[in-house]
């Protein structure tokens, strides 16, 4: 039976938000034989590396480099949960590869549900400066062992689609090594793996797999790792329509992670079939979360217009799950981005804290029925 039919969600982690302390406790209780602490965050939280497998192909992967991107942490927990129920599949996979997986590289940012770490540094733009404590541990680990592949695991916003209609539920990238975006041998190795994942998933989530921009970023982790000679694959978990807690994305992220590891184990040279990668449509930035049509402003002047909204993900004090707060992103004739949900507000009013609202991205609002 295929992995997707065997998939099991880890029952201990139902929410999109993962408390670092809950994760640490789970790892210590359930995976103590596989984990080791590789360092401490700026706020002195542990950073754990899990090591599993005895195969000759060595893989390094990490989750939550950005603290508000938990899907990869979920995916690894779900992968292990599923494989524990299917020992033959587990043995086959980890006889081919040896995996070092860093759980929650940015625990300080993960606790606060923010992209940045405790001192407001984006770890994914800190490769050369090494201003963050956490990036040093990742680079040190990468330097200690000659890894054959790296998996740089992230999430992307709801704005991305594959074709202007379907959400980019998963996107992948074989990062560029230079500004010319040369297709090198190491990029081909990444493309070959992604091509196999695409073949597996394109029937499961048709039109929902995208290819992330391969613009070269001189300060980013993945671009610099592959530039230094380590094939590095970027994962981006995206959106299912009406699935803001990303439970659907979580499932297919897990499936993609499994098939990527399986492909790495089977593609000994890593080159076969790399052209399949080029069939994946490039991401498009086409959507808002909601577009309210024909909204009347609550002002002294007659004004009817469209209002485009994005949700901002916020961890509110005392809650153990993310809240989605709407913010105005565009006002006027909103044509270029359709929105996952369109609401005809003819005759309804836009309300804010002020009579003459400043219509920008900082405005919270409601529609008067």
């Amino acid at each position: 039976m295929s992995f997707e039919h065997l998939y099991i969600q880890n029952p201990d982690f139902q929410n999109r938000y993962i408390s670092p302390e809950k994760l640490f406790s789970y790892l210590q209780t359930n995976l103590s034989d596989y984990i080791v602490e590789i360092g401490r965050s700026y706020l002195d939280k542990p950073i754990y590396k899990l090591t599993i497998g005895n195969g000759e192909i060595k893989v390094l992967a990490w989750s939550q480099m950005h603290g508000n991107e938990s899907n990869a942490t979920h995916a690894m927990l779900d992968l292990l949960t599923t494989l524990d129920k299917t020992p033959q599949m587990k043995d086959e996979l980890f006889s081919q590869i040896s995996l070092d997986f860093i759980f929650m590289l940015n625990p300080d940012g993960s606790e606060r549900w923010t992209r940045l770490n405790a001192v407001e540094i984006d770890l994914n733009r800190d490769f050369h400066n090494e201003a963050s404590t956490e990036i040093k541990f990742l680079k040190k680990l990468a330097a200690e062992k000659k890894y054959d592949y790296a998996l740089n695991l992230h999430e992307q916003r709801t704005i991305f689609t594959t074709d202007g209609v379907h959400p980019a539920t998963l996107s992948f990238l074989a990062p560029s090594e230079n500004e010319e975006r040369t297709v090198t041998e190491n990029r081909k190795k990444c493309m070959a793996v992604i091509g196999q994942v695409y073949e597996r998933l394109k029937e499961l989530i048709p039109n929902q797999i995208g290819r992330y921009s391969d613009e070269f970023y001189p300060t980013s982790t993945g671009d610099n790792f592959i530039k230094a000679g380590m094939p590095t694959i970027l994962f981006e978990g995206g959106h299912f329509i009406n699935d803001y807690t990303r439970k659907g994305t979580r499932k297919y992220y897990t499936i993609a992670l499994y098939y990527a590891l399986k492909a790495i184990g089977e593609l000994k040279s890593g080159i076969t079939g790399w052209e399949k990668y080029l069939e994946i449509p490039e991401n498009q930035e086409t959507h808002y979360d909601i577009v309210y049509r024909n909204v009347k402003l609550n002002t002294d002047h007659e004004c009817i217009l469209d209002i485009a909204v994005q949700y901002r993900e916020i961890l509110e004090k005392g809650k153990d799950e993310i809240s989605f707060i709407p913010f105005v992103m565009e006002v006027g004739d909103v044509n270029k981005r359709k929105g996952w949900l369109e609401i005809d507000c003819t005759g309804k009013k836009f309300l804010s804290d002020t009579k003459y609202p400043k219509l920008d991205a900082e405005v919270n609002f409601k529609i008067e029925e």
Side-chain angles (χ1 to χ4, degrees):
M1 189 177 293
S2 61
F3 181 85
E4 54 267 29
H5 292 106
L6 298 167
Y7 168 79
I8 302 171
Q9 184 183 102
N10 186 301
D12 292 307
F13 295 90
Q14 297 292 322
N15 291 349
R16 186 169 172 199
Y17 175 71
I18 300 176
S19 159
E21 284 67 30
K22 182 177 180 179
L23 175 66
F24 303 155
S25 176
Y26 179 88
L27 295 177
Q28 292 160 358
T29 302
N30 297 279
L31 296 165
S32 59
D33 293 340
Y34 299 93
I35 62 169
V36 62
E37 185 180 311
I38 62 168
R40 291 251 161 183
S41 70
Y42 182 85
L43 296 179
D44 202 36
K45 289 183 171 57
I47 301 171
Y48 289 109
K49 177 195 72 172
L50 175 141
T51 299
I52 188 169
N54 53 17
E56 62 181 26
I57 301 173
K58 296 180 286 295
V59 182
L60 173 64
W62 57 94
S63 73
Q64 284 184 269
M65 169 176 267
H66 294 142
N68 59 352
E69 299 175 3
S70 60
N71 252 166
T73 302
H74 282 124
M76 189 60 196
L77 293 168
D78 291 355
L79 176 67
L80 295 173
T81 300
T82 303
L83 290 178
D84 279 345
K85 301 294 184 180
T86 53
Q88 182 178 351
M89 189 176 286
K90 182 178 181 179
D91 291 345
E92 288 175 356
L93 179 64
F94 291 117
S95 66
Q96 298 291 323
I97 66 169
S98 298
L99 174 64
D100 284 345
F101 189 96
I102 302 174
F103 278 99
M104 202 175 273
L105 181 64
N106 179 9
D108 298 343
S110 299
E111 182 171 56
R112 297 183 299 147
W113 193 253
T114 178
R115 178 183 178 91
L116 309 179
N117 75 349
V119 287
E120 303 297 314
I121 295 171
D122 185 338
L123 304 188
N124 204 29
R125 297 293 183 267
D126 190 38
F127 191 87
H128 296 300
N129 289 340
E130 293 189 3
S132 62
T133 301
E134 299 85 358
I135 198 68
K136 295 175 184 178
F137 297 125
L138 176 62
K139 290 180 68 174
K140 181 175 184 290
L141 192 62
E144 287 175 349
K145 190 186 295 187
K146 183 173 173 54
Y147 289 98
D148 298 288
Y149 287 87
L151 303 180
N152 185 13
L153 306 176
H154 288 268
E155 286 185 57
Q156 63 189 2
R157 292 173 293 162
T158 57
I159 63 174
F160 291 108
T161 67
T162 61
D163 54 8
V165 177
H166 297 89
T169 301
L170 290 172
S171 296
F172 301 96
L173 174 66
S176 296
E177 300 178 31
N178 52 40
E179 291 183 0
E180 295 73 29
R181 310 184 190 192
T182 306
V183 179
T184 62
E185 291 302 294
N186 276 341
R187 288 195 75 195
K188 287 181 180 178
K189 288 182 178 181
C190 298
M191 291 175 180
V193 172
I194 295 169
Q196 287 215 12
V197 174
Y198 177 60
E199 281 295 288
R200 286 285 188 170
L201 268 71
K202 68 180 183 180
E203 301 301 325
L204 299 176
I205 45 173
N207 303 310
Q208 291 176 235
I209 300 173
R211 179 157 47 100
Y212 209 77
S213 168
D214 65 352
E215 177 184 355
F216 179 70
Y217 288 93
T219 60
S220 76
T221 305
D223 299 48
N224 279 285
F225 273 155
I226 196 168
K227 182 179 179 180
M230 181 168 62
T232 303
I233 298 169
L234 174 70
F235 280 51
E236 294 279 357
H239 186 60
F240 264 102
I241 296 175
N242 297 324
D243 181 27
Y244 285 91
T245 57
R246 299 202 169 180
K247 293 187 184 299
T249 304
R250 168 181 178 166
K251 174 181 178 179
Y252 291 104
Y253 205 124
T254 308
I255 294 168
L257 180 59
Y258 169 78
Y259 283 118
L261 294 172
K262 190 171 188 290
I264 287 170
E266 294 174 349
L267 288 168
K268 302 299 183 183
S269 68
I271 302 299
T272 307
W274 65 272
E275 299 90 347
K276 182 66 65 175
Y277 172 84
L278 303 176
E279 298 178 12
I280 304 173
E282 291 188 6
N283 277 356
Q284 301 178 33
E285 294 186 29
T286 63
H287 274 56
Y288 291 116
D289 289 319
I290 303 175
V291 176
Y292 294 93
R293 302 289 187 188
N294 306 312
V295 180
K296 182 180 179 182
L297 290 186
N298 187 23
T299 67
D300 293 335
H301 303 285
E302 184 73 16
C303 184
I304 296 178
L305 39 70
D306 299 335
I307 299 176
V309 168
Q310 289 292 128
Y311 287 124
R312 183 171 296 172
E313 299 175 2
I314 295 175
L315 181 64
E316 297 181 274
K317 188 174 182 179
K319 293 189 177 181
D320 58 3
E321 184 57 301
I322 306 307
S323 298
F324 299 92
I325 309 300
F327 281 82
V328 172
M329 301 301 293
E330 185 175 345
V331 175
D333 187 14
V334 182
N335 289 322
K336 62 180 179 178
R337 299 185 183 183
K338 182 180 179 183
W340 296 121
L341 180 64
E342 290 200 47
I343 299 175
D344 186 353
C345 291
T346 303
K348 298 177 183 178
K349 290 183 178 181
F350 172 96
L351 300 177
S352 76
D353 293 336
T354 59
K355 189 174 182 181
Y356 299 96
K358 181 183 178 184
L359 297 176
D360 60 24
E362 295 305 313
V363 176
N364 197 359
F365 74 98
K366 63 180 178 178
I367 301 293
E368 183 182 60
E369 295 294 336

